[in-house]
Amino acid sequence: MARPKAEINWKRVDQMLMSQCDGAQIAEVLGIHPDTLYKACEREFKLSFSAYSQQKRAKGVAVAKEKFYQQCWIDN
């Protein structure tokens, strides 16, 4: 008998990716095997985890840069 599919909180995954966490770290926090996360990503989004994480990580860098830039102008 097959195991039930793990429920993955994709909002949490996205937040962690934006914080520059890798798949193994995310899987550890979620309590699943990294392969489970990678396969679920392909199933849910039709993207490899690598491609999906690149998008989210880039967004995280952009948000951090914007916040930093705004903080520089607010403090001056």
Side-chain angles (χ1 to χ4, degrees):
M1 185 183 261
R3 283 185 162 184
K5 287 187 169 56
E7 289 292 320
I8 296 175
N9 181 340
W10 290 105
K11 283 187 179 184
R12 181 72 175 125
V13 172
D14 291 353
Q15 290 170 341
M16 293 184 74
L17 286 170
M18 288 175 62
S19 298
Q20 308 305 303
C21 295
D22 64 29
Q25 292 166 328
I26 295 168
E28 179 67 27
V29 168
L30 297 177
I32 60 175
H33 193 278
D35 288 343
T36 302
L37 178 61
Y38 306 150
K39 290 174 186 174
C41 185
E42 290 177 5
R43 190 173 53 250
E44 292 287 322
F45 303 108
K46 308 296 187 246
L47 287 172
S48 69
F49 185 77
S50 178
Y52 184 79
S53 65
Q54 276 184 325
Q55 292 174 359
K56 301 303 178 180
R57 285 170 169 247
K59 183 177 178 182
V61 169
V63 168
K65 284 182 178 183
E66 182 179 29
K67 295 277 185 197
F68 177 76
Y69 182 79
Q70 288 172 351
Q71 200 63 31
C72 288
W73 286 104
I74 290 170
D75 290 343
N76 288 326

Coordinates of all heavy atoms in Angstrom, one line a residue:
M1 N 0.8 -1.2 0.0 CA 0.0 0.0 0.0 C 0.9 1.3 0.0 O 1.9 1.3 0.7 CB -0.9 0.0 1.2 CG -1.9 1.1 1.3 SD -2.9 1.1 2.8 CE -4.3 0.3 2.2
A2 N 0.6 2.2 -0.8 CA 1.4 3.4 -0.9 C 1.1 4.4 0.2 O 0.0 4.4 0.8 CB 1.1 4.1 -2.3
R3 N 2.1 5.1 0.5 CA 2.0 6.2 1.6 C 1.1 7.3 1.0 O 1.2 7.6 -0.2 CB 3.3 6.7 2.0 CG 4.1 5.9 2.8 CD 5.4 6.6 3.2 NE 5.9 6.0 4.4 CZ 7.0 6.4 5.0 NH1 7.6 7.5 4.6 NH2 7.5 5.8 6.0
P4 N 0.4 8.0 1.9 CA -0.3 9.2 1.4 C 0.7 10.3 1.1 O 1.8 10.4 1.7 CB -1.1 9.6 2.6 CG -0.6 8.9 3.8 CD 0.1 7.7 3.3
K5 N 0.4 11.2 0.1 CA 1.3 12.2 -0.3 C 1.4 13.2 0.9 O 0.5 13.6 1.5 CB 0.8 12.9 -1.5 CG 0.9 12.1 -2.8 CD 0.5 12.9 -4.0 CE 0.9 12.3 -5.3 NZ 0.5 11.1 -5.7
A6 N 2.7 13.7 1.1 CA 2.9 14.7 2.1 C 2.3 16.0 1.7 O 2.3 16.4 0.6 CB 4.4 14.9 2.3
E7 N 1.7 16.7 2.7 CA 1.1 18.0 2.5 C 2.3 19.0 2.7 O 2.9 19.0 3.7 CB 0.0 18.3 3.6 CG -1.2 17.5 3.3 CD -2.0 17.9 2.1 OE1 -2.0 19.2 1.8 OE2 -2.5 17.0 1.4
I8 N 2.5 19.8 1.7 CA 3.6 20.8 1.7 C 3.0 22.2 1.7 O 2.2 22.5 0.9 CB 4.5 20.6 0.5 CG1 5.2 19.2 0.6 CG2 5.6 21.7 0.5 CD1 6.0 18.8 -0.6
N9 N 3.5 23.0 2.7 CA 3.0 24.4 2.8 C 3.9 25.2 1.9 O 5.0 25.6 2.3 CB 3.2 24.8 4.3 CG 2.8 26.2 4.5 OD1 2.7 27.0 3.6 ND2 2.5 26.6 5.8
W10 N 3.4 25.5 0.7 CA 4.2 26.1 -0.3 C 4.5 27.6 0.1 O 5.6 28.1 -0.3 CB 3.6 26.0 -1.7 CG 3.6 24.6 -2.2 CD1 2.6 23.7 -2.2 CD2 4.8 23.9 -2.6 NE1 3.1 22.5 -2.7 CE2 4.4 22.6 -3.0 CE3 6.1 24.3 -2.8 CZ2 5.4 21.7 -3.4 CZ3 7.1 23.4 -3.3 CH2 6.7 22.1 -3.6
K11 N 3.7 28.2 0.8 CA 4.0 29.6 1.3 C 5.2 29.6 2.2 O 6.1 30.4 2.1 CB 2.8 30.2 2.1 CG 1.7 30.6 1.2 CD 0.6 31.4 2.0 CE -0.5 31.9 1.1 NZ -1.5 32.6 1.8
R12 N 5.3 28.6 3.0 CA 6.5 28.4 3.9 C 7.7 28.1 3.1 O 8.8 28.7 3.3 CB 6.2 27.3 5.0 CG 7.4 27.1 5.9 CD 7.5 28.2 6.9 NE 8.5 27.9 7.9 CZ 9.5 28.7 8.2 NH1 9.6 29.9 7.6 NH2 10.4 28.3 9.0
V13 N 7.6 27.2 2.1 CA 8.7 26.9 1.2 C 9.2 28.2 0.5 O 10.4 28.5 0.5 CB 8.3 25.8 0.2 CG1 9.4 25.6 -0.9 CG2 8.0 24.5 0.9
D14 N 8.2 29.0 0.0 CA 8.6 30.2 -0.7 C 9.3 31.2 0.2 O 10.3 31.8 -0.2 CB 7.4 30.9 -1.3 CG 6.7 30.1 -2.4 OD1 7.3 29.1 -2.9 OD2 5.6 30.5 -2.8
Q15 N 8.8 31.3 1.5 CA 9.5 32.2 2.4 C 10.9 31.7 2.7 O 11.8 32.6 2.8 CB 8.7 32.2 3.7 CG 7.4 32.9 3.6 CD 6.6 32.7 4.9 OE1 6.8 31.8 5.7 NE2 5.6 33.6 5.1
M16 N 11.1 30.5 2.9 CA 12.4 29.9 3.1 C 13.4 30.1 1.9 O 14.5 30.4 2.1 CB 12.3 28.5 3.6 CG 11.7 28.4 5.0 SD 11.6 26.7 5.6 CE 13.4 26.5 6.1
L17 N 12.8 29.9 0.7 CA 13.7 30.1 -0.4 C 14.1 31.5 -0.6 O 15.2 31.9 -0.9 CB 12.9 29.6 -1.7 CG 12.8 28.1 -1.9 CD1 11.9 27.8 -3.0 CD2 14.2 27.5 -2.1
M18 N 13.1 32.5 -0.3 CA 13.4 33.9 -0.4 C 14.5 34.3 0.7 O 15.2 35.2 0.5 CB 12.2 34.7 -0.2 CG 11.2 34.6 -1.4 SD 9.7 35.5 -1.2 CE 10.2 37.2 -0.9
S19 N 14.6 33.5 1.7 CA 15.6 33.7 2.8 C 16.9 33.0 2.4 O 17.8 32.9 3.3 CB 15.1 33.2 4.1 OG 13.9 33.9 4.5
Q20 N 16.9 32.4 1.2 CA 18.1 31.7 0.7 C 18.4 30.4 1.3 O 19.6 29.9 1.3 CB 19.4 32.6 0.8 CG 19.2 34.0 0.2 CD 18.7 34.0 -1.2 OE1 19.4 33.5 -2.1 NE2 17.6 34.7 -1.5
C21 N 17.4 29.7 1.9 CA 17.6 28.3 2.4 C 17.6 27.4 1.2 O 17.0 27.7 0.1 CB 16.4 27.9 3.3 SG 16.3 28.9 4.8
D22 N 18.3 26.3 1.3 CA 18.3 25.3 0.2 C 17.2 24.2 0.5 O 16.6 24.2 1.5 CB 19.7 24.7 0.0 CG 20.2 23.9 1.2 OD1 19.4 23.3 2.0 OD2 21.4 23.8 1.4
G23 N 17.1 23.3 -0.5 CA 16.0 22.3 -0.4 C 16.2 21.4 0.7 O 15.2 21.0 1.4
A24 N 17.4 21.0 1.1 CA 17.6 20.1 2.2 C 17.2 20.7 3.5 O 16.6 20.1 4.4 CB 19.1 19.6 2.3
Q25 N 17.5 22.0 3.7 CA 17.2 22.7 4.9 C 15.6 22.9 5.0 O 15.1 22.7 6.1 CB 17.8 24.1 4.9 CG 19.3 24.1 5.0 CD 19.9 25.5 4.7 OE1 19.4 26.2 3.9 NE2 21.0 25.8 5.4
I26 N 15.0 23.2 3.9 CA 13.5 23.3 3.9 C 12.9 22.0 4.2 O 12.0 21.9 5.0 CB 13.1 23.8 2.5 CG1 13.6 25.3 2.3 CG2 11.5 23.8 2.4 CD1 13.4 25.8 0.9
A27 N 13.4 20.9 3.6 CA 12.8 19.6 3.8 C 13.0 19.2 5.3 O 12.0 18.6 5.9 CB 13.5 18.5 2.9
E28 N 14.1 19.5 5.9 CA 14.3 19.2 7.3 C 13.3 19.9 8.2 O 12.7 19.3 9.1 CB 15.7 19.7 7.7 CG 16.1 19.4 9.2 CD 16.2 18.0 9.6 OE1 16.5 17.1 8.7 OE2 15.9 17.7 10.7
V29 N 13.0 21.2 7.9 CA 12.0 22.0 8.7 C 10.6 21.4 8.5 O 9.9 21.3 9.4 CB 12.1 23.5 8.3 CG1 10.9 24.2 8.8 CG2 13.4 24.1 8.7
L30 N 10.3 21.0 7.3 CA 9.0 20.4 7.0 C 8.9 19.0 7.5 O 7.8 18.5 7.5 CB 8.7 20.5 5.5 CG 8.7 21.9 4.8 CD1 8.4 21.7 3.3 CD2 7.6 22.7 5.5
G31 N 10.0 18.4 7.8 CA 9.9 17.0 8.3 C 9.7 16.0 7.2 O 9.1 14.9 7.4
I32 N 10.2 16.3 6.0 CA 10.1 15.3 4.9 C 11.5 15.1 4.3 O 12.5 15.9 4.6 CB 9.2 15.9 3.8 CG1 9.6 17.2 3.2 CG2 7.7 16.0 4.3 CD1 8.8 17.8 2.1
H33 N 11.6 14.1 3.4 CA 12.9 13.9 2.7 C 13.0 14.9 1.6 O 12.0 15.2 0.9 CB 12.8 12.4 2.1 CG 14.2 12.0 1.7 ND1 14.7 12.3 0.4 CD2 15.1 11.2 2.3 CE1 15.9 11.7 0.3 NE2 16.2 11.1 1.4
P34 N 14.2 15.3 1.3 CA 14.4 16.3 0.2 C 13.8 15.8 -1.1 O 13.2 16.6 -1.9 CB 15.9 16.5 0.1 CG 16.4 16.2 1.5 CD 15.5 15.1 2.0
D35 N 13.9 14.5 -1.4 CA 13.4 14.0 -2.7 C 11.9 14.2 -2.7 O 11.3 14.4 -3.8 CB 13.7 12.5 -2.9 CG 15.2 12.3 -3.2 OD1 15.9 13.3 -3.6 OD2 15.7 11.2 -3.0
T36 N 11.2 14.1 -1.6 CA 9.8 14.3 -1.5 C 9.4 15.7 -2.0 O 8.5 16.0 -2.7 CB 9.2 14.0 -0.1 OG1 9.6 12.7 0.2 CG2 7.7 14.2 0.0
L37 N 10.2 16.7 -1.5 CA 10.0 18.1 -1.8 C 10.3 18.3 -3.3 O 9.5 19.0 -4.0 CB 11.0 19.0 -1.0 CG 10.9 20.5 -1.3 CD1 9.6 21.0 -1.0 CD2 12.0 21.2 -0.4
Y38 N 11.3 17.7 -3.8 CA 11.7 17.9 -5.2 C 10.6 17.3 -6.2 O 10.2 18.0 -7.1 CB 13.0 17.3 -5.5 CG 14.2 17.8 -4.6 CD1 15.2 17.0 -4.4 CD2 14.1 19.1 -4.1 CE1 16.3 17.4 -3.5 CE2 15.2 19.5 -3.2 CZ 16.2 18.6 -3.0 OH 17.2 19.0 -2.2
K39 N 10.1 16.2 -5.8 CA 9.1 15.5 -6.7 C 7.8 16.3 -6.6 O 7.1 16.4 -7.6 CB 8.9 14.0 -6.2 CG 10.1 13.2 -6.6 CD 10.0 11.8 -6.1 CE 11.2 11.0 -6.3 NZ 11.2 9.7 -5.7
A40 N 7.4 16.7 -5.4 CA 6.2 17.5 -5.2 C 6.2 18.8 -6.0 O 5.2 19.2 -6.6 CB 6.0 17.8 -3.7
C41 N 7.4 19.4 -6.1 CA 7.5 20.6 -6.9 C 7.3 20.4 -8.4 O 6.6 21.1 -9.0 CB 8.9 21.2 -6.7 SG 9.2 22.8 -7.5
E42 N 7.9 19.3 -8.8 CA 7.6 18.9 -10.3 C 6.2 18.6 -10.5 O 5.6 19.0 -11.5 CB 8.5 17.7 -10.6 CG 10.0 18.1 -10.7 CD 10.9 16.9 -11.0 OE1 10.4 15.8 -11.2 OE2 12.1 17.2 -11.0
R43 N 5.5 17.9 -9.6 CA 4.1 17.6 -9.7 C 3.2 18.8 -9.6 O 2.3 19.0 -10.4 CB 3.8 16.6 -8.6 CG 2.4 15.9 -8.7 CD 2.2 14.8 -7.7 NE 2.4 15.3 -6.3 CZ 3.4 14.9 -5.5 NH1 4.3 14.0 -6.0 NH2 3.5 15.3 -4.3
E44 N 3.5 19.7 -8.7 CA 2.6 20.9 -8.5 C 2.8 22.0 -9.5 O 1.9 22.6 -9.9 CB 2.9 21.5 -7.1 CG 2.4 20.6 -5.9 CD 0.9 20.5 -5.8 OE1 0.3 21.6 -6.0 OE2 0.4 19.4 -5.5
F45 N 4.1 22.2 -9.9 CA 4.4 23.4 -10.7 C 5.0 23.1 -12.0 O 5.2 24.0 -12.8 CB 5.4 24.3 -9.9 CG 4.8 24.7 -8.6 CD1 5.4 24.2 -7.4 CD2 3.8 25.6 -8.5 CE1 4.9 24.6 -6.1 CE2 3.3 26.0 -7.2 CZ 3.8 25.5 -6.1
K46 N 5.2 21.8 -12.3 CA 5.7 21.4 -13.6 C 7.1 22.1 -13.8 O 7.5 22.4 -15.0 CB 4.8 21.7 -14.8 CG 3.4 21.2 -14.6 CD 3.3 19.7 -14.6 CE 1.9 19.3 -14.6 NZ 1.4 18.6 -13.4
L47 N 7.8 22.3 -12.8 CA 9.2 22.8 -12.8 C 10.1 22.0 -11.9 O 9.7 21.4 -10.9 CB 9.2 24.2 -12.2 CG 8.6 25.4 -12.9 CD1 8.6 26.6 -12.1 CD2 9.4 25.7 -14.2
S48 N 11.4 21.9 -12.3 CA 12.3 21.3 -11.4 C 12.4 22.2 -10.1 O 12.2 23.4 -10.2 CB 13.7 21.2 -12.1 OG 14.3 22.4 -12.2
F49 N 12.8 21.5 -9.0 CA 13.0 22.3 -7.8 C 14.1 23.4 -8.0 O 14.0 24.5 -7.5 CB 13.4 21.4 -6.6 CG 13.4 22.2 -5.3 CD1 12.3 22.6 -4.7 CD2 14.6 22.6 -4.8 CE1 12.3 23.3 -3.5 CE2 14.7 23.3 -3.6 CZ 13.5 23.7 -3.0
S50 N 15.1 23.1 -8.8 CA 16.2 24.0 -9.1 C 15.6 25.3 -9.8 O 15.9 26.4 -9.4 CB 17.2 23.4 -10.0 OG 18.2 24.3 -10.3
A51 N 14.8 25.1 -10.8 CA 14.2 26.3 -11.5 C 13.2 27.0 -10.6 O 13.3 28.3 -10.5 CB 13.5 25.8 -12.7
Y52 N 12.4 26.3 -9.8 CA 11.5 27.0 -8.9 C 12.2 27.8 -7.8 O 11.9 28.9 -7.6 CB 10.6 25.9 -8.2 CG 9.5 26.4 -7.3 CD1 8.4 26.9 -7.8 CD2 9.7 26.4 -6.0 CE1 7.4 27.4 -7.0 CE2 8.7 26.9 -5.1 CZ 7.6 27.4 -5.6 OH 6.6 27.9 -4.8
S53 N 13.3 27.2 -7.3 CA 14.0 27.8 -6.2 C 14.7 29.1 -6.7 O 14.9 30.1 -6.0 CB 15.0 26.9 -5.5 OG 16.0 26.4 -6.3
Q54 N 15.2 29.0 -8.0 CA 15.9 30.2 -8.6 C 15.0 31.4 -8.6 O 15.4 32.5 -8.3 CB 16.4 29.9 -10.0 CG 17.7 29.2 -10.0 CD 18.2 29.0 -11.4 OE1 17.4 28.7 -12.4 NE2 19.5 29.1 -11.7
Q55 N 13.7 31.1 -9.0 CA 12.8 32.2 -9.1 C 12.5 32.8 -7.7 O 12.5 34.1 -7.6 CB 11.4 31.7 -9.7 CG 11.5 31.3 -11.1 CD 10.1 30.6 -11.5 OE1 9.2 30.5 -10.7 NE2 10.1 30.2 -12.8
K56 N 12.3 32.0 -6.7 CA 12.0 32.5 -5.4 C 13.2 33.1 -4.7 O 13.1 34.2 -4.0 CB 11.4 31.4 -4.5 CG 10.2 30.7 -5.1 CD 9.1 31.7 -5.3 CE 7.9 31.0 -5.9 NZ 6.8 32.0 -6.1
R57 N 14.4 32.6 -4.9 CA 15.6 33.2 -4.4 C 15.9 34.5 -4.9 O 16.2 35.5 -4.2 CB 16.8 32.2 -4.6 CG 16.8 31.0 -3.7 CD 17.9 30.0 -4.2 NE 18.0 29.0 -3.2 CZ 19.1 28.9 -2.4 NH1 20.2 29.7 -2.6 NH2 19.2 27.9 -1.5
A58 N 15.7 34.7 -6.3 CA 15.9 35.9 -6.9 C 14.9 37.0 -6.4 O 15.3 38.1 -6.1 CB 15.7 35.8 -8.4
K59 N 13.7 36.6 -6.1 CA 12.7 37.5 -5.5 C 13.2 37.9 -4.1 O 13.1 39.1 -3.8 CB 11.3 36.9 -5.5 CG 10.3 37.8 -5.0 CD 8.9 37.1 -5.0 CE 7.8 38.0 -4.4 NZ 6.5 37.4 -4.4
G60 N 13.7 37.0 -3.4 CA 14.2 37.3 -2.0 C 15.3 38.3 -2.1 O 15.4 39.2 -1.3
V61 N 16.2 38.1 -3.0 CA 17.3 39.1 -3.1 C 16.8 40.5 -3.5 O 17.3 41.5 -3.0 CB 18.4 38.6 -4.2 CG1 19.4 39.6 -4.5 CG2 19.1 37.3 -3.6
A62 N 15.9 40.5 -4.4 CA 15.3 41.8 -4.9 C 14.6 42.5 -3.7 O 14.8 43.7 -3.5 CB 14.4 41.6 -6.0
V63 N 13.9 41.8 -2.9 CA 13.2 42.4 -1.8 C 14.2 42.9 -0.8 O 14.0 44.0 -0.3 CB 12.2 41.4 -1.1 CG1 11.7 41.9 0.2 CG2 11.1 41.1 -2.1
A64 N 15.2 42.1 -0.5 CA 16.2 42.6 0.5 C 17.0 43.8 0.0 O 17.2 44.7 0.7 CB 17.2 41.4 0.7
K65 N 17.3 43.8 -1.3 CA 18.0 45.0 -1.9 C 17.1 46.3 -1.8 O 17.6 47.3 -1.5 CB 18.4 44.8 -3.3 CG 19.6 43.9 -3.5 CD 19.9 43.7 -4.9 CE 21.2 42.9 -5.1 NZ 21.6 42.8 -6.5
E66 N 15.8 46.1 -2.1 CA 14.9 47.2 -2.0 C 14.8 47.7 -0.6 O 14.8 48.9 -0.4 CB 13.5 46.8 -2.6 CG 12.5 47.9 -2.6 CD 11.2 47.5 -3.1 OE1 10.8 46.3 -3.0 OE2 10.5 48.3 -3.7
K67 N 14.6 46.8 0.4 CA 14.5 47.2 1.8 C 15.8 48.0 2.2 O 15.7 49.0 2.9 CB 14.3 46.0 2.7 CG 13.0 45.3 2.5 CD 11.9 46.0 3.2 CE 10.7 45.2 3.1 NZ 9.5 45.9 3.4
F68 N 16.9 47.4 1.8 CA 18.2 48.1 2.1 C 18.3 49.5 1.5 O 18.6 50.4 2.2 CB 19.4 47.2 1.6 CG 20.7 47.8 1.9 CD1 21.3 47.8 3.1 CD2 21.4 48.4 0.8 CE1 22.5 48.4 3.4 CE2 22.7 49.0 1.1 CZ 23.2 49.0 2.3
Y69 N 17.9 49.6 0.3 CA 17.9 50.9 -0.4 C 17.0 51.9 0.3 O 17.4 53.0 0.5 CB 17.5 50.7 -1.9 CG 17.6 52.0 -2.7 CD1 18.8 52.5 -3.2 CD2 16.4 52.6 -3.0 CE1 18.8 53.6 -3.9 CE2 16.5 53.8 -3.7 CZ 17.7 54.3 -4.2 OH 17.7 55.4 -4.9
Q70 N 15.8 51.4 0.6 CA 14.8 52.3 1.3 C 15.4 52.7 2.7 O 15.2 53.9 3.0 CB 13.5 51.6 1.5 CG 12.7 51.4 0.2 CD 11.5 50.5 0.4 OE1 11.3 49.9 1.4 NE2 10.7 50.5 -0.6
Q71 N 16.0 51.8 3.4 CA 16.5 52.1 4.7 C 17.6 53.2 4.6 O 17.7 54.1 5.5 CB 17.0 50.9 5.4 CG 17.1 51.0 6.9 CD 15.8 51.2 7.5 OE1 14.8 50.8 7.1 NE2 15.8 51.9 8.6
C72 N 18.4 53.1 3.6 CA 19.5 54.1 3.4 C 19.0 55.5 3.2 O 19.5 56.4 3.7 CB 20.4 53.7 2.2 SG 21.4 52.3 2.4
W73 N 17.9 55.6 2.5 CA 17.3 56.9 2.2 C 16.5 57.4 3.4 O 16.4 58.6 3.7 CB 16.4 56.9 1.0 CG 17.3 56.8 -0.3 CD1 17.5 55.7 -1.0 CD2 18.1 57.9 -0.8 NE1 18.4 56.0 -2.0 CE2 18.8 57.4 -1.9 CE3 18.3 59.2 -0.5 CZ2 19.6 58.1 -2.7 CZ3 19.1 60.0 -1.3 CH2 19.8 59.4 -2.4
I74 N 15.9 56.5 4.2 CA 15.1 57.0 5.4 C 16.1 57.5 6.4 O 15.8 58.5 7.1 CB 14.3 55.8 5.9 CG1 13.2 55.5 4.9 CG2 13.7 56.1 7.3 CD1 12.4 54.2 5.2
D75 N 17.2 56.8 6.6 CA 18.2 57.2 7.7 C 18.9 58.5 7.4 O 19.5 59.1 8.2 CB 19.2 56.1 7.9 CG 18.5 54.9 8.6 OD1 17.4 55.0 9.1 OD2 19.1 53.8 8.5
N76 N 18.9 58.9 6.1 CA 19.7 60.2 5.7 C 18.8 61.4 5.7 O 17.8 61.6 5.4 CB 20.4 60.0 4.4 CG 21.5 59.0 4.5 OD1 22.2 59.0 5.5 ND2 21.8 58.3 3.5

